[in-house]
Amino acid sequence: MSTATIGTAVPRVEGIDKLTGRARYAADFHPEGMAYGYGVYSTISRGRVVSIDTEQAQQMPGVIEIFHHDNFPELHRSPASFPEENMVDELRTPFEDDVVHYAGQFVAFVVAETFEQARNAAYRVRVDYDAESAAATLADGRARGTTEANRNERGDADAGFSSAEVTVDATYTTPVETHNPMELHATTAYWRDGRLVVHESTQGVIFARNTLAKNFDLDPSQIEIHADFIGSGFGGKLWLWPHCLATCAASRELGRPVQFMLPRQYMFTTSGHRPETSQHLRLGATRQGVLTSIMHESINSTSSINTFVEACGGSTASLYACDNLRVTHATAVVDRGTPTPMRAPGAGVGLFALESAMDELAIALDMDPLALRRKNFTEVDPDGGKPFSSNHMLECYDRAAERFGWADRDPAIGSMRDGDEILGWGLAACNWDAMRNPCDARVTLRPDGSATVHCATQDIGTGTYTIIAQTAADTLGIDIDRVHVAIGDSTFPHGQISGGSWATASILPAVIGACKAASDRLIEYAVKDGAPMAGANGDDLIYEAGVVKNGQGDQASAKAILKPLSLPSAVGDFHSDGATEPGYSYGSFGVHFVEIGWAPDIARLRARRVVSAVDAGAIINDRTARNQVEGAIVMGLGSALFEATEYDERTARPVNNNYAEYLVPVNADMPDLDVILLDHPDYKLNELGARGIGEIGLTGIQAAVANAVHHATGKRIRDLPIMLDKLMETS
Ligand code: MOS
C-alpha cells in the first residue's frame, strides 16, 4: 500500500528532466531538413504597405523564400469561438492584405537554411509604407471614441451614491503590461502525408489544433500539436498568434519543416498584452461603513483588429454586499496589436481600483480598512443571489492579520518607522472565479504494475504533471513513481487549457474516473477463462493497491491477470462533464497584507513583507500551490512597482521592449513572503474539493502596495506602476 500524496508537498515529477535538460521545449525539436523562419515587422503603426523590395534579400546566402502579402498562401480565419475551442485574439491571418494595424506586425516572413541567414536576409528586405497618424495611448484612442461592451446593474447605483453619507469618487489607471515568460513563443512545424505536426509553446494543445484546422481547412484529426514542456505563458500562450500560422503555411509551401522563434522585442507587439485601463470608481457608504453604492466604469484599449474587453469589474460585482451596483466595460481602439488575457485578466487590474477605493473610503470614514471589509462581507454572491459554495474570506482576514500583526498598526500617516525607513502597512482583498470544465482522461494499467495517464492538457510550469501523478497514484493505491503522465499532445483524450485557474478542478476528476474505469476493467479480466479468478462474480471482487481481491483472502496482480490472457494492459476511459453542484456561486478568496519601506532621503521604496492568506479549496500539492501564489505575488509586485510597456507617442511603437528596460522584480526586490493556504475542500466543485490557484494571488496586490504607500507617505497613487517620480512630486 502506498502512502497518500494528495495534500503533501511532492516535488515536481518532471524536475529532473528540467534540471538535466532532457525536457524539450518547442524550439528544441529539429526535424530533418528543417529550415528557419524570421520575420520582417512593420515599423509604422497604421497605414499600408506600398511596396516590398526583396531583391537584395533573395540573393543572400541560404535564403529559400520570402513570403509577404503578394505571394503568401491564402488562409482561412478562425471563427474565434471559445465554445468551439478555437479562440484567437488576432482575428486577421498574417499577410491577408497590405493593411498595417500596429508596429511590429508581420509584413514579410523570410525562410532560410539557418536562423542567422534568415535574420540577415530579413534585415535587407525593404518595405515602403503609406503611414497614417497613429493612436499611441488610451487617451488618443478615447479621443476617437469609445464603445460600450457590457454592463451589469442591480438596484439603483446613482440613488445609492447620492444618498450616501460618505463617498469616494476617483479614477485609477493602469498601463499596458506585456507577458514575459522566460521561453519565447516558438513553433516547429512540418507536414507528413497530409498531416500537420506542430511543436508549439502553447497553453492549449486542443485549442491550437482546432484553430489550425480552421486556418488550413483540415479535420482536427489531421493535426497534431505537441507541447511537452512550456516555459510559462501567463495567458499570452492561450491562443495562437500569427507566427504559428505563418510557420505552418511556410512549411506546407516549401515541403520542409520550418522553425520560428518570436524575438523578445516582438513579444511586445504581436503576441498580446494586458491593455491599458482607466477605471472610474464611485463608492457610497453609511457613516457606519455599510456600502450603499458601487460604481465601477472601466475603459480599456483594444486594437483595430479585434475587440478585447478587460473585465475589470468582474470581481467588483461579487466581492461585497451592496444592493446598488453598476459595472460597465468599454473599449477604445488604439494602433497596437490585440490585447489578450494576462494572468487574472480583469480582476488583476480591476482590484487595484476597487481595493484602492475601499482604502480611500476607510480613510474617509476614519475606519480601519480591515473592519470596513469585514463589515461588507457576504456569504451570498450578490451578483445573482446564489450562496458561495465555500467562502472562508473572514478566516483569511483573521489569520493573515494575526500573522502580519495588523492590530499594532498606527493609522496616522508616516507614523511608523524602522530606522531611516518610514513603514507603510496596507491590505487588499483578492478574488478569482472558481471554474470547472469538461475533461477526458485515459488510464492504462500494465503488467509491471505501472500506470499511464493520457490527457490532452499541458503543464506550463504550474505543476500539472505532478498533481496528475499524485491523483492517479492515490486513486490506484500505487507509488507515485509507478505513474507515468502523458500530456502535451492533442491526440490524447480531450483535455483542458492551462488557463482560467480551472485546469486542476477540471482535469483531476477525469483522472480519478479513468483510474476507476481501468481498475474495473482489470476486475473484468480477472474473472475471464484462464485468468486467476475465472468463474468468480466480478461484483464480489475489489481492486485495491494494484491488486484484485476476493473476500477469501486471494489476490491477483495486474501481471497475474493480464499474462494468461495475453493482454498488454487494462485501459479505462472517462469523460468528466465538468458539472458542479447547481445553485451555488463558485469563487476563491483571500487577502494580502503588505509592508513597504519608504526612505525619503534617498528616495527608495521597497516591499519589505507580504503576508497573504488564500482560500482556494483543497490544496493538492502544498509545494506547487504555494509556488503559484508566491509567483503571483512577485508578478503583482512587478505590476505595482515596475511594469509598464511605454509607447512612443509619435509612432505608437513600444520603446522598452526588452528585459533590460521592461522592469520586472528581481531577487533583490523580494520581500519576505508568507503565504497561508487555508485548505478547506470545496466538494460542491469536485470530489477532491480543489478549486484552482494560478491567478488569485495576483489580484489585489497592487492595491495593497498602493494603500501601504499612502500610509507611509500620504500620497495616493492612482496610476500604476508606483514609480519613484510619483512619490517625489510635491503637488
Ligand atoms: Mo490565464 S490569463 O487564463 O493563462
Side-chain angles (χ1 to χ4, degrees):
M1 191 68 155
S2 66
T3 321
T5 65
I6 287 177
T8 67
V10 175
R12 288 169 193 273
V13 296
E14 82 286 18
I16 301 286
D17 284 342
K18 285 181 170 169
L19 271 176
T20 56
R22 263 202 311 259
R24 291 205 291 173
Y25 296 74
D28 291 330
F29 292 86
H30 299 96
E32 201 181 328
M34 188 177 83
Y36 293 80
Y38 198 90
V40 179
Y41 302 89
S42 172
T43 55
I44 67 159
S45 296
R46 187 172 184 224
R48 281 177 186 279
V49 174
V50 174
S51 66
I52 298 186
D53 177 0
T54 60
E55 202 181 319
Q56 195 195 353
Q58 284 282 8
Q59 313 297 321
M60 301 288 293
V63 172
I64 300 164
E65 183 61 275
I66 301 173
F67 295 101
H68 46 81
H69 70 269
D70 283 334
N71 67 355
F72 196 71
E74 193 179 331
L75 299 176
H76 307 276
R77 287 186 172 198
S78 161
S81 161
F82 185 85
E84 292 171 45
E85 302 194 305
N86 55 20
M87 274 296 289
V88 288
D89 273 326
E90 180 147 328
L91 297 176
R92 184 181 182 276
T93 63
F95 313 114
E96 69 177 29
D97 55 30
D98 60 2
V99 179
V100 173
H101 297 267
Y102 58 92
Q105 174 184 318
F106 281 93
V107 292
F109 190 86
V110 179
V111 184
E113 296 295 340
T114 71
F115 173 82
E116 290 78 7
Q117 288 171 335
R119 182 175 58 183
N120 205 14
Y123 290 162
R124 283 164 175 77
V125 174
R126 288 171 201 281
V127 184
D128 281 328
Y129 301 95
D130 186 359
E132 296 168 42
S133 78
T137 64
L138 180 58
D140 292 345
R142 290 175 75 174
R144 288 181 183 167
T146 59
T147 307
E148 184 169 297
N150 56 57
R151 61 171 50 216
N152 182 359
E153 292 186 271
R154 62 177 181 256
D156 187 336
D158 293 307
F161 188 74
S162 56
S163 66
E165 291 169 312
V166 180
T167 60
V168 168
D169 182 336
T171 297
Y172 304 85
T173 53
T174 67
V176 168
E177 294 177 351
T178 301
H179 314 73
N180 270 289
M182 287 296 286
E183 184 205 14
L184 302 171
H185 280 275
T187 306
T188 303
Y190 57 95
W191 295 73
R192 190 172 56 197
D193 307 326
R195 291 175 65 77
L196 170 59
V197 181
V198 186
H199 295 273
E200 178 73 12
S201 185
T202 177
Q203 295 174 239
V205 291
I206 294 287
F207 273 71
R209 177 197 69 185
N210 294 352
T211 300
L212 289 174
K214 295 292 180 191
N215 296 140
F216 290 95
D217 191 21
L218 296 171
D219 189 84
S221 66
Q222 293 172 283
I223 300 176
E224 287 172 32
I225 309 291
H226 297 272
D228 302 3
F229 293 96
I230 300 105
S232 202
F234 305 119
K237 294 173 181 172
L238 281 169
W239 324 134
L240 293 184
W241 295 100
H243 67 269
C244 177
L245 282 65
T247 306
C248 295
S251 171
R252 187 182 62 179
E253 294 306 298
L254 300 173
R256 290 177 65 165
V258 177
Q259 181 176 98
F260 180 86
M261 269 186 284
L262 188 62
R264 181 69 59 182
Q265 73 194 92
Y266 297 108
M267 286 179 55
F268 284 77
T269 67
T270 188
S271 57
H273 56 270
R274 194 196 302 277
E276 208 175 332
T277 74
S278 175
Q279 303 174 55
H280 183 200
L281 258 291
R282 280 173 288 175
L283 302 179
T286 66
R287 184 67 58 201
Q288 289 71 39
V290 175
L291 286 166
T292 58
S293 178
I294 301 174
M295 287 185 269
H296 190 166
E297 293 159 309
S298 172
I299 300 175
N300 69 264
S301 57
T302 187
S303 76
S304 56
I305 298 170
N306 193 8
T307 299
F308 177 86
V309 180
E310 184 80 16
C312 294
S315 282
T316 304
S318 296
L319 197 49
Y320 296 112
C322 183
D323 293 336
N324 306 306
L325 171 121
R326 181 190 303 135
V327 168
T328 65
H329 297 106
T331 58
V333 173
V334 301
D335 297 306
R336 300 177 188 143
T338 306
T340 204
M342 184 168 171
R343 201 174 194 175
V349 282
L351 285 192
F352 165 61
L354 176 66
E355 289 296 287
S356 291
M358 285 293 281
D359 199 65
E360 299 201 48
L361 180 64
I363 290 167
L365 287 162
D366 195 20
M367 190 172 177
D368 179 86
L370 183 57
L372 175 64
R373 287 170 174 84
R374 279 205 182 98
K375 184 151 223 156
N376 291 283
F377 170 77
T378 176
E379 283 179 335
V380 171
D381 183 350
D383 186 33
K386 293 177 187 168
F388 288 113
S389 58
S390 172
N391 179 346
H392 298 275
M393 180 64 115
L394 294 177
E395 187 184 339
C396 290
Y397 289 152
D398 289 343
R399 289 182 59 183
E402 194 196 344
R403 187 79 64 86
F404 188 81
W406 184 257
D408 297 332
R409 179 178 186 260
D410 179 343
I413 285 166
S415 61
M416 297 176 71
R417 284 186 173 263
D418 179 11
D420 292 338
E421 278 186 313
I422 301 171
L423 303 185
W425 286 11
L427 75 92
C430 57
N431 175 231
W432 190 247
D433 287 343
M435 291 166 277
R436 176 181 170 188
N437 280 304
C439 186
D440 296 353
R442 174 176 305 141
V443 167
T444 304
L445 301 176
R446 295 215 159 74
D448 64 2
S450 70
T452 302
V453 185
H454 283 94
C455 180
T457 187
Q458 54 287 310
D459 187 336
I460 59 172
T462 46
T464 305
Y465 272 111
T466 308
I467 61 169
I468 290 176
Q470 289 177 258
T471 302
D474 286 16
T475 308
L476 294 167
I478 62 177
D479 285 330
I480 192 168
D481 60 11
R482 307 300 288 149
V483 179
H484 175 62
V485 180
I487 57 176
D489 184 330
S490 65
T491 67
F492 295 164
H494 185 281
Q496 274 297 328
I497 56 167
S498 303
S501 297
W502 67 63
T504 297
S506 307
I507 298 164
L508 299 189
V511 173
I512 292 172
C515 287
K516 290 182 175 155
S519 58
D520 284 350
R521 180 62 61 89
L522 198 59
I523 289 173
E524 281 172 36
Y525 291 156
V527 300
K528 282 186 181 295
D529 284 349
M533 293 168 179
N537 184 344
D539 294 341
D540 299 332
L541 305 181
I542 59 159
Y543 167 92
E544 198 176 85
V547 296
V548 174
K549 297 175 174 176
N550 62 18
Q552 289 83 53
D554 305 314
Q555 61 179 54
S557 66
K559 183 176 187 173
I561 296 165
L562 296 168
K563 282 286 170 190
L565 301 174
S566 294
L567 288 170
S569 57
V571 178
D573 283 288
F574 190 78
H575 170 70
S576 157
D577 63 9
T580 56
E581 204 170 310
Y584 294 94
S585 180
Y586 292 88
S588 287
F589 305 89
V591 65
H592 300 294
F593 288 81
V594 172
E595 176 181 284
I596 62 98
W598 168 238
D601 296 347
I602 55 170
R604 186 185 67 190
L605 175 67
R606 63 188 181 113
R608 290 165 48 115
R609 268 194 315 139
V610 178
V611 176
S612 303
V614 173
D615 164 28
I619 300 302
I620 303 299
N621 186 315
D622 187 74
R623 190 183 302 247
T624 56
R626 190 170 296 280
N627 178 246
Q628 282 300 297
V629 179
E630 289 177 352
I633 291 169
V634 173
M635 199 165 172
L637 291 172
S639 176
L641 298 170
F642 306 115
E643 287 192 52
T645 305
E646 307 282 357
Y647 293 82
D648 186 321
E649 295 199 1
R650 299 162 299 180
T651 62
R653 284 154 61 165
V655 289
N656 56 340
N657 54 3
N658 54 70
Y659 262 172
E661 292 162 297
Y662 183 86
L663 302 183
V664 295
V666 298
N667 274 325
D669 298 309
M670 281 304 95
D672 285 339
L673 296 180
D674 188 352
V675 172
I676 302 163
L677 301 174
L678 256 47
D679 200 18
H680 294 308
D682 183 349
Y683 292 120
K684 296 183 176 73
L685 189 71
N686 58 41
E687 59 262 57
L688 288 168
R691 292 205 285 255
I693 204 160
E695 284 161 304
I696 184 168
L698 181 70
T699 69
I701 188 93
Q702 307 98 321
V705 173
N707 299 341
V709 165
H710 182 268
H711 180 227
T713 67
K715 288 187 194 290
R716 175 61 62 180
I717 308 300
R718 301 189 183 92
D719 175 50
L720 291 182
I722 305 170
M723 292 286 199
L724 292 175
D725 55 324
K726 295 173 188 172
L727 296 179
M728 294 162 73
E729 282 167 6
T730 49
S731 65

